[in-house]
Amino acid sequence: MPARLVATLLLCLCPLILGQEAAQPPALKPEPQLSDEQMERFLKTAPIVSSTLLGEGSTGAGKASLSDAGLTHDAQVQCVDVYKPVWKGAEGTVEKNFRDSWKFNVAAYRVGRLIGIKNIPMSVERNVDGKLCSVTWWVDNIWMDEAKRREKNIKPPASDGWVNQLNAVRVFDQMIYNTDRNQGNLLITPEWKLWMIDHTRGFRLTRALMTVEPLRRIDAQLLQALRNLKAADIKREAGPWLRAEEISSVLFRRDLIVRFFESEIRAKGDEATITGLPRKTPSINVP
């Protein structure tokens, strides 16, 4: 076999031999350039021209195509709104005061914005076929989800940006007590932006964190936003979709998160705990 052909085969097979799939992200497609107000109006009022059910999930999620004034775009529609005093999961788990509600998609988007998290797609309340539902902007240019990335062993960039996004997901899920975060509802774009979707099983009344183990580091601006968050802010932005006890539980867990990171800062220092700090340049004596 010619040496050049052998070399070519080795180059092709090397990523597979090492357990990593050679993957090139697809080219980005143009996205609609809308303000928040325009996007919200579109989701609330654009006629639904077609819709399909997404899989066999318990939340009954659907994908709808909306079209108005020359713009056609997809949205996820979820109308689930279930309450059970006692709920038993397939794995034998038991949960009291179980809720699975479309309202939490809207609340998650709005609470996320309050603390500067902008990788939760816009979600609005809308009447669809006589039922109140969440209608959520279908994220453009999705390359894969986190489950597929891990299955294919595709390595993320070795950058602070990717890790910071994961850290924000962990903090947010702990604050809203999201019991249904899985790798299939973390979506990745070709530029490695991470989107969080599906929050219908968040906002539990539990006055504790699920666990502190996932909490690693936190962005300085996010930590300050958590410190500044008030009940009046959440009520103003998400009051129609959250009950008073859900809001107070969010704030209770917020306090636990802030105290955890403040303890980490005391034990390990700012630079080991907080990201987004200005770089410290050592002083230099110039003769």
Side-chain angles (χ1 to χ4, degrees):
M1 184 179 294
R4 181 175 294 179
L5 180 57
V6 172
T8 301
L9 288 172
L10 286 174
L11 284 172
C12 295
L13 291 173
C14 187
L16 300 178
I17 295 170
L18 295 175
Q20 179 181 353
E21 179 179 293
Q24 293 297 323
L28 292 173
K29 299 178 181 178
E31 299 179 17
Q33 299 302 308
L34 302 177
S35 67
D36 286 349
E37 293 77 11
Q38 291 171 325
M39 184 180 290
E40 183 173 359
R41 184 167 59 250
F42 180 82
L43 289 173
K44 286 182 174 180
T45 64
I48 297 175
V49 295
S50 66
S51 62
T52 56
L53 189 65
L54 292 173
E56 301 296 330
S58 60
T59 62
K63 183 178 182 180
S65 179
L66 285 62
S67 187
D68 187 43
L71 173 62
T72 299
H73 199 275
D74 293 335
Q76 184 197 56
V77 179
Q78 285 182 288
C79 306
V80 63
D81 195 15
V82 174
Y83 168 77
K84 294 182 179 180
V86 178
W87 176 81
K88 295 182 180 180
E91 304 83 9
T93 55
V94 177
E95 182 179 341
K96 294 182 178 180
N97 297 314
F98 171 84
R99 292 192 74 198
D100 189 358
S101 178
W102 62 266
K103 297 176 183 178
F104 297 152
N105 282 331
V106 183
Y109 165 73
R110 300 181 79 89
V111 171
R113 281 299 182 96
L114 278 174
I115 57 175
I117 291 178
K118 296 184 178 181
N119 59 341
I120 302 171
M122 179 181 285
S123 189
V124 304
E125 174 183 318
R126 178 170 175 171
N127 188 306
V128 178
D129 295 331
K131 296 178 66 176
L132 289 179
C133 309
S134 63
V135 177
T136 304
W137 187 263
W138 195 272
V139 182
D140 296 293
N141 287 309
I142 293 302
W143 178 18
M144 58 186 162
D145 58 33
E146 178 66 357
K148 183 64 68 175
R149 183 191 75 78
R150 292 183 178 228
E151 175 190 333
K152 300 295 185 182
N153 197 25
I154 299 172
K155 300 300 183 184
S159 68
D160 290 340
W162 174 255
V163 176
N164 289 345
Q165 290 182 94
L166 289 176
N167 287 334
V169 171
R170 293 164 181 149
V171 168
F172 187 72
D173 280 345
Q174 293 292 329
M175 189 177 80
I176 71 167
Y177 211 95
N178 183 10
T179 61
D180 194 35
R181 174 67 66 216
N182 60 71
Q183 296 170 6
N185 54 36
L186 290 174
L187 309 180
I188 304 169
T189 68
E191 66 268 49
W192 289 96
K193 181 169 182 177
L194 189 64
W195 286 92
M196 300 183 248
I197 63 169
D198 291 344
H199 297 92
T200 66
R201 294 188 182 181
F203 297 98
R204 284 355 199 189
L205 302 182
T206 306
R207 295 204 162 211
L209 300 179
M210 291 182 284
T211 173
V212 298
E213 192 281 329
L215 299 178
R216 310 284 172 80
R217 302 178 74 195
I218 188 169
D219 178 77
Q221 292 184 357
L222 177 55
L223 180 57
Q224 191 57 46
L226 291 177
R227 290 175 175 141
N228 295 339
L229 186 63
K230 296 178 176 60
D233 300 327
I234 301 178
K235 186 174 182 180
R236 181 187 69 246
E237 292 298 320
W241 305 282
L242 293 178
R243 298 172 296 164
E245 56 266 39
E246 289 161 347
I247 293 174
S248 64
S249 296
V250 166
L251 290 170
F252 189 93
R253 292 187 295 266
R254 180 280 310 271
D255 290 343
L256 295 179
I257 292 169
V258 170
R259 285 203 291 270
F260 170 80
F261 280 113
E262 288 176 344
S263 174
E264 291 287 284
I265 291 169
R266 288 192 297 271
K268 303 175 182 178
D270 285 348
E271 292 191 357
T273 308
I274 302 177
T275 60
L277 292 173
R279 290 185 177 272
K280 293 182 178 179
T281 304
S283 59
I284 300 175
N285 293 324
V286 179

